[in-house]
Amino acid sequence: MQAEAWFLEPDALSAAELDPTPLDAHERGRAASFVRASDRVLYTAAHLALRTVLGRLLGERPEELVFAREPCPCCGAAHGRPVLAVPEPPLHFSLSHTEGLVLIATAPVPVGADAQLRPAPEDVAGLLPALHPGERAGIAAEPDPRRRAAAFGRIWARKEAYLKGLGTGLGRDTTLDDLGAEPEGWTVDDLPCGPRHHGAVALRAPRSVTGPPVVNHLESLSALRDDRPAPTGI
């Protein structure tokens, strides 16, 4: 058992590929609400990519996918982990996007994905209180400010991926879990994202039965919309 990770750089998409027609009314409205054009492009690209990847894997038209939310584990309200309502699982997914990068994870069991920009070294001290004491100690022990920033980015991506996999997101106290290791029953993998970003995928399955995620880099969405083979994992 393993997850698949799909990376996309939204700035590489052509204007034609950013056509929002496959999005539902809620997604189109959300995209239109962004004041900054760059935010609108990032959101549109991320949600088009999600629909395109899932549609290809399921043999469905992207615009015909219907999404829902599981109950939140913290409060029971319907804002937990996003899931497919039509067609129904067993395909689980997670979507993350940050400046310059979209990350999608898919798996046969609940999965969380997160992509983060690396923080500036001078910002790390103010961010440390959001971490588990063990995480804070490991980062603070690094003498080089740039390495501390990289260590924080790695841990935070792992943490958000795990919390998204749980379905709580940041509704769960971020100081409770030490993501320097793997929570019981979960596999958490770091993903190579280049010098500016950190990425991680958390899979609800123990390490003993999982392999590393299959990583796909998408240069366009059209490659998944035609009859060519799906991208090869690398």
Side-chain angles (χ1 to χ4, degrees), residues 136-149 151:
R136 293 200 298 268
I139 293 170
E142 173 55 61
D144 183 78
R146 289 172 298 180
R147 290 183 180 274
R148 279 200 300 273

Side-chain angles (χ1 to χ4, degrees), residues 52-70:
T52 302
V53 167
L54 295 180
R56 179 62 184 273
L57 293 176
L58 294 166
E60 301 283 346
R61 294 172 61 86
E63 61 270 26
E64 293 177 352
L65 300 177
V66 179
F67 298 101
R69 291 273 187 170
E70 291 183 340

Side-chain angles (χ1 to χ4, degrees), residues 20 24 42 46 71 90 107 110 112 124 128 130 137 140 151 158 169 178 201 208 212 222-223:
D24 64 23
L42 177 59
V124 172
L128 286 178
R158 290 170 65 88
D178 186 350
V201 169
S208 60
S222 58

Side-chain angles (χ1 to χ4, degrees), residues 42-112:
L42 177 59
Y43 177 92
T44 301
H47 286 259
L48 286 172
L50 177 65
R51 286 180 171 273
T52 302
V53 167
L54 295 180
R56 179 62 184 273
L57 293 176
L58 294 166
E60 301 283 346
R61 294 172 61 86
E63 61 270 26
E64 293 177 352
L65 300 177
V66 179
F67 298 101
R69 291 273 187 170
E70 291 183 340
C72 171
C74 297
C75 68
H79 56 234
R81 182 174 42 240
V83 294
L84 281 163
V86 179
E88 295 181 359
L91 182 64
H92 297 263
F93 66 89
S94 184
L95 170 66
S96 181
H97 52 81
T98 188
E99 180 183 323
L101 193 66
V102 173
L103 170 60
I104 297 163
T106 60
V109 296
V111 63

Side-chain angles (χ1 to χ4, degrees), residues 119-131 136 139 148 152 156 174:
E122 61 269 23
D123 293 337
V124 172
L127 298 170
L128 286 178
L131 299 182
R136 293 200 298 268
I139 293 170
R148 279 200 300 273
F152 181 90
W156 193 256
T174 58

